[in-house]
């Protein structure tokens, strides 16, 4: 069982930056692939970033590639999402997700592949 708690959301102007954190409980964090997703009002949940259990593999959709960076610190049981050059269309509730991974290099891009979710943190980008 893994519990996830996101933090770091807030209000920022377009072009600004935010860093989201997701703290995980449990002693086997390093065995979990991690992901970030977001959901804007009236829209479906959208993939934002994923990192393998080892941290060596990362994935992004074109909409955030080059602006967002996912990273993890297995010693601190924490995954981060550094968001730069934010745009108003990045406004959403951001969710952290975890999935046990047999292979340390595996990562998951679909929300239905994740078993554990945080409560979400609001990110609002003003124009």
């Amino acid at each position: 069982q893994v519990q996830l708690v996101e933090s770091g959301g807030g209000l920022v102007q377009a072009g600004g930056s935010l860093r989201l954190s997701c703290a995980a409980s449990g002693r086997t964090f390093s065995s979990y692939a991690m992901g970030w997703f977001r959901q804007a009002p009236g829209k479906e949940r959208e993939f934002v970033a994923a990192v393998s259990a080892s941290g060596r593999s990362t994935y992004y959709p074109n909409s955030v590639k080059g602006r967002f960076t996912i990273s993890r610190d297995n010693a601190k049981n924490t995954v981060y999402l550094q968001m730069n050059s934010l745009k108003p269309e990045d406004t959403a509730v951001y969710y952290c997700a975890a999935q046990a991974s047999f292979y340390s290099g595996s990562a998951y891009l679909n929300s239905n592949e994740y078993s554990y979710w945080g409560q979400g943190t609001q990110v609002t980008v003003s124009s």
Side-chain angles (χ1 to χ4, degrees), residues 3 6 9 19 25 33 39 69 72 81 95 102 110 125-126:
Q3 291 185 325
E6 301 99 332
R19 188 176 83 155
S25 65
Q39 189 166 18
T69 302
R72 65 189 297 160
L81 184 68
Y95 297 91
F102 184 78
N110 296 309
V125 184
S126 63

Side-chain angles (χ1 to χ4, degrees), residues 43-61:
K43 295 188 176 182
E44 294 186 352
R45 192 163 294 191
E46 176 188 18
F47 167 67
V48 175
V51 62
S52 61
S54 67
R56 288 193 289 268
S57 299
T58 58
Y59 300 88
Y60 307 92

Side-chain angles (χ1 to χ4, degrees), residues 67-121:
R67 300 189 298 123
F68 291 11
T69 302
I70 188 171
S71 62
R72 65 189 297 160
D73 186 337
N74 286 344
K76 295 183 178 179
N77 281 16
T78 302
V79 63
Y80 305 97
L81 184 68
Q82 178 67 45
M83 305 186 294
N84 299 329
S85 302
L86 283 161
K87 305 174 181 180
E89 51 263 44
D90 294 318
T91 295
V93 177
Y94 282 70
Y95 297 91
C96 173
Q99 175 59 37
S101 177
F102 184 78
Y103 296 105
S104 63
S106 297
Y108 307 101
L109 279 58
N110 296 309
S111 59
N112 60 11
E113 295 180 288
Y114 287 90
S115 298
Y116 303 101
W117 292 85
Q119 82 290 348
T121 185

